[in-house]
């Protein structure tokens, strides 16, 4: 029908907070808390770790900020810039 075809384009949300606190939580902890943050000599990495822990303890809902930290670390591990302790 025309009213379906002519509707405005809409995006969709991603349940990033649920994913990070749920099925990705153990990997998030492993990747961000248990190994040094790549580039820690250039940033206050201890504050990033606290930010992630606060998120997991429901002190804030900035899942996208946590996602960026997690993705950074996953990229660094994937490119062998840092190694996860379980890989040693």
């Amino acid at each position: 029908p025309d009213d379906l075809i002519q509707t405005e384009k809409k995006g969709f949300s991603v349940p990033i907070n649920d994913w990070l606190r749920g099925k990705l939580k153990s990997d998030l902890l492993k990747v961000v808390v248990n190994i040094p943050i790549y580039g820690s000599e250039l940033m206050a990495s201890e504050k990033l770790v606290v930010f992630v822990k606060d998120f997991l303890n429901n002190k804030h809902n900035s899942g996208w900020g946590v996602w960026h930290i997690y993705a950074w670390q996953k990229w660094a591990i994937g490119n062998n810039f840092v190694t996860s302790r379980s890989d040693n």
Side-chain angles (χ1 to χ4, degrees):
D2 283 342
D3 61 335
L4 180 61
I5 293 172
Q6 301 301 324
T7 58
E8 188 175 323
K9 182 178 175 181
K10 295 181 182 179
F12 59 93
S13 64
V14 176
I16 197 75
N17 289 1
D18 295 337
W19 290 347
L20 291 169
R21 288 183 178 129
K23 59 179 123 177
L24 293 176
K25 181 178 179 178
S26 64
D27 194 51
L28 175 64
L29 287 169
K30 174 185 154 192
V31 167
V32 175
V33 176
N34 295 336
I35 62 173
I37 301 284
Y38 176 68
S40 61
E41 66 279 0
L42 302 173
M43 60 182 112
S45 59
E46 64 281 349
K47 290 184 179 186
L48 298 178
V49 172
V50 169
F51 182 76
V52 170
K53 287 180 177 180
D54 285 350
F55 171 79
L56 292 173
N57 290 320
N58 293 307
K59 292 183 180 178
H60 66 80
N61 284 313
S62 300
W64 284 108
V66 172
W67 177 260
H68 290 291
I69 298 164
Y70 178 61
W72 172 260
Q73 281 293 91
K74 292 294 275 188
W75 169 82
I77 291 167
N79 286 285
N80 297 312
F81 296 134
V82 293
T83 306
S84 101
R85 288 185 179 153
S86 64
D87 293 342
N88 290 338

